[in-house]
Amino acid sequence: MAINLLSVLQMMSLAETIINMKLNFKSIGQPFSNKINIGGSTYLYFGGTAYLGIPQNQDFIDLYIEGIKKFGLNNGTSRTNNIQLGIYDDAEKVAAARYGAEAALITSSGYLAAQLTVNALSKLGQVIYAPAAHPSLWLAENQTRNFISFKAWELETIERINRSDEKTWVLISNSMNNLIPEIYNFDFVKKISRDKNIILIVDDSHGIGVNNNGIGAIVNLPKQENIENVVVASMAKALGVDAGIVLASNKITDKLKSTNTFIGASPSSPAALYAFIHAEEIYRKALNKLKNNMLLFETALDLTWKHEWDFPVYLLGDVNFSQHLLQKQILISSFPYPDPTGETLNRIVLSAWHEKDDIEKLIAAINF
């Protein structure tokens, strides 16, 4: 009886400790990196979206500081001002070439890039949303959500468009569901009748810089005369820059740059874009390190968790596994999203800022 009581007391103490930890985790006073210090204890951190570890990459930080010295902290003027910094046009030309687009447009955030694009292009045709499309892509706050599978949506969309007399359609989707994770294939658009004009808007916020050797989803989008591909993305995740990007044709980017939204918005930090322009080799090295971390992790474990090859996110089937890792002083992504009242998603996220020793400690904790 005494043993049972002791066990209960130990469990209660552990639960109380975890509750207190969660409260502390909501007000961390240091930059995110591979390790977080809280209350005198060090925790390995396997969460977030800094896939290439750029926020803690000293070479990138040095470029950013160099950019601040050249251009100052920020620029609060419109991109249509009669006096402008040339860094914005330079960054857009570099981005278009780097990611294989005809043209690029850079805004102050990924959300703005998505809203600017969707609001302008949705007026050109009939809109269809894919399942799990990110809220930044929504035209309305209470956007009706589609909960069918992506594969079912493909078939439904092909049939709907081919049966309709409507000529122009705007398809809006994420490039992937990073929560599950699942990377989408858009080849189904080729099955739509060629007498239909398709504007395909794809949010690649989690893929750009990582997937397809860092180029992202744009390389796999269908190339046909009746299909206009438009990629929008946050640059704040893998690329480590507080900005948003649109990759599209000159015709589309020119149209977007003529909107009141683009004209009225202040641009992103010129220093950040200076770092982005000069960081191609930094991104390449970080991606190689991330791939090595993934290889070490995946070959050491007989993974049954949901994951996509070449993407560093692993969905844990056991909802209690985050607590097991927490006892080993390892933090992972564990919260309900996008519905705050929904089921908790427990995911391990690898980054280029993790060292070999970090990965080995994670593996040991999982195997315990």
Side-chain angles (χ1 to χ4, degrees):
M1 186 70 177
I3 295 176
N4 290 339
L5 179 58
L6 179 60
S7 298
V8 170
L9 291 173
Q10 288 174 335
M11 290 175 64
M12 290 174 63
S13 176
L14 175 60
E16 184 179 356
T17 300
I18 290 172
I19 290 171
N20 290 333
M21 285 179 177
K22 284 184 176 179
L23 292 174
N24 290 337
F25 295 157
K26 291 290 187 179
S27 56
I28 293 172
Q30 66 179 83
F32 288 121
S33 66
N34 62 324
K35 295 177 182 178
I36 298 176
N37 297 311
I38 301 173
S41 298
T42 300
Y43 296 83
L44 287 176
Y45 176 58
F46 292 94
T49 60
Y51 306 120
L52 299 182
I54 296 301
Q56 292 297 324
N57 186 300
Q58 191 57 54
D59 291 335
F60 191 89
I61 292 170
D62 290 342
L63 281 176
Y64 204 118
I65 293 171
E66 190 176 323
I68 290 174
K69 291 177 179 178
K70 286 179 177 290
F71 299 105
L73 289 173
N74 75 320
N75 173 22
T77 64
S78 168
R79 286 284 301 277
T80 58
N81 196 295
N82 64 313
I83 303 170
Q84 296 187 42
L85 293 174
I87 189 74
Y88 296 107
D89 287 339
D90 293 342
E92 288 172 345
K93 289 175 183 176
V94 167
R98 189 175 293 174
Y99 302 116
E102 186 177 53
L105 178 157
I106 293 178
T107 64
S108 58
S109 73
Y111 183 87
L112 180 59
Q115 283 287 295
L116 166 69
T117 302
V118 168
N119 279 288
L121 301 186
S122 63
K123 299 171 184 176
L124 302 180
Q126 186 72 33
V127 174
I128 302 180
Y129 275 94
H134 193 274
S136 65
L137 298 167
W138 294 358
L139 286 167
E141 182 68 27
N142 58 344
Q143 183 74 44
T144 301
R145 303 186 67 193
N146 196 336
F147 290 99
I148 64 175
S149 70
F150 193 85
K151 193 67 181 176
W153 176 78
E154 290 179 12
L155 300 174
E156 181 184 274
T157 300
I158 294 168
E159 183 180 2
R160 177 181 173 185
I161 295 176
N162 286 342
R163 281 193 293 104
S164 174
D165 293 330
E166 187 81 34
K167 288 299 182 182
T168 302
W169 294 80
V170 182
L171 308 185
I172 303 175
S173 177
N174 299 343
S175 66
M176 64 181 300
N177 185 334
N178 67 296
L179 301 174
I180 301 301
E182 176 185 11
I183 297 175
Y184 301 138
N185 186 321
F186 293 92
D187 281 348
F188 76 92
V189 181
K190 296 178 182 178
K191 297 179 182 179
I192 295 173
S193 176
R194 292 209 177 198
D195 67 348
K196 309 293 186 182
N197 299 312
I198 306 298
I199 300 172
L200 178 60
I201 301 175
V202 176
D203 186 336
D204 196 32
S205 294
H206 291 272
I208 194 168
V210 178
N211 294 341
N212 299 315
N213 290 317
I215 299 175
I218 193 168
V219 297
N220 288 334
L221 297 184
K223 311 297 189 294
Q224 279 186 188
E225 288 185 4
N226 67 317
I227 302 172
E228 185 81 59
N229 293 317
V230 182
V231 170
V232 300
S234 166
M235 299 174 71
K237 295 174 173 55
L239 302 179
V241 174
D242 287 328
I245 191 168
V246 182
L247 300 168
S249 64
N250 282 310
K251 179 178 72 174
I252 293 294
T253 56
D254 287 347
K255 179 178 181 61
L256 296 179
K257 286 184 177 182
S258 69
T259 62
N260 290 332
T261 301
F262 182 81
I263 292 170
S266 296
S268 55
S269 163
L273 295 186
Y274 176 85
F276 167 76
I277 289 172
H278 294 90
E280 187 169 16
E281 182 64 12
I282 293 172
Y283 288 135
R284 186 190 66 78
K285 289 181 178 178
L287 182 57
N288 286 339
K289 187 178 179 186
L290 174 63
K291 288 182 176 181
N292 288 334
N293 285 344
M294 292 167 60
L295 182 63
L296 174 62
F297 183 68
E298 292 173 11
T299 54
L301 300 169
D302 183 18
L303 287 183
T304 57
W305 302 331
K306 182 73 175 68
H307 72 288
E308 287 276 4
W309 298 110
D310 285 338
F311 188 67
V313 175
Y314 307 85
L315 179 69
L316 282 62
D318 185 352
V319 295
N320 298 314
F321 207 77
S322 64
Q323 301 303 327
H324 163 73
L325 293 177
L326 183 57
Q327 294 176 49
K328 303 291 183 180
Q329 293 185 247
I330 294 175
L331 292 171
I332 65 171
S333 176
S334 179
F335 62 99
Y337 186 88
D339 180 2
T341 63
E343 182 181 350
T344 296
L345 293 174
N346 289 295
R347 298 176 304 138
I348 289 173
V349 182
L350 302 186
S351 169
W353 62 29
H354 291 121
E355 302 297 337
K356 181 181 178 182
D357 184 57
D358 300 332
I359 306 297
E360 289 175 342
K361 287 180 179 177
L362 175 62
I363 293 168
I366 292 169
N367 284 332
F368 177 75

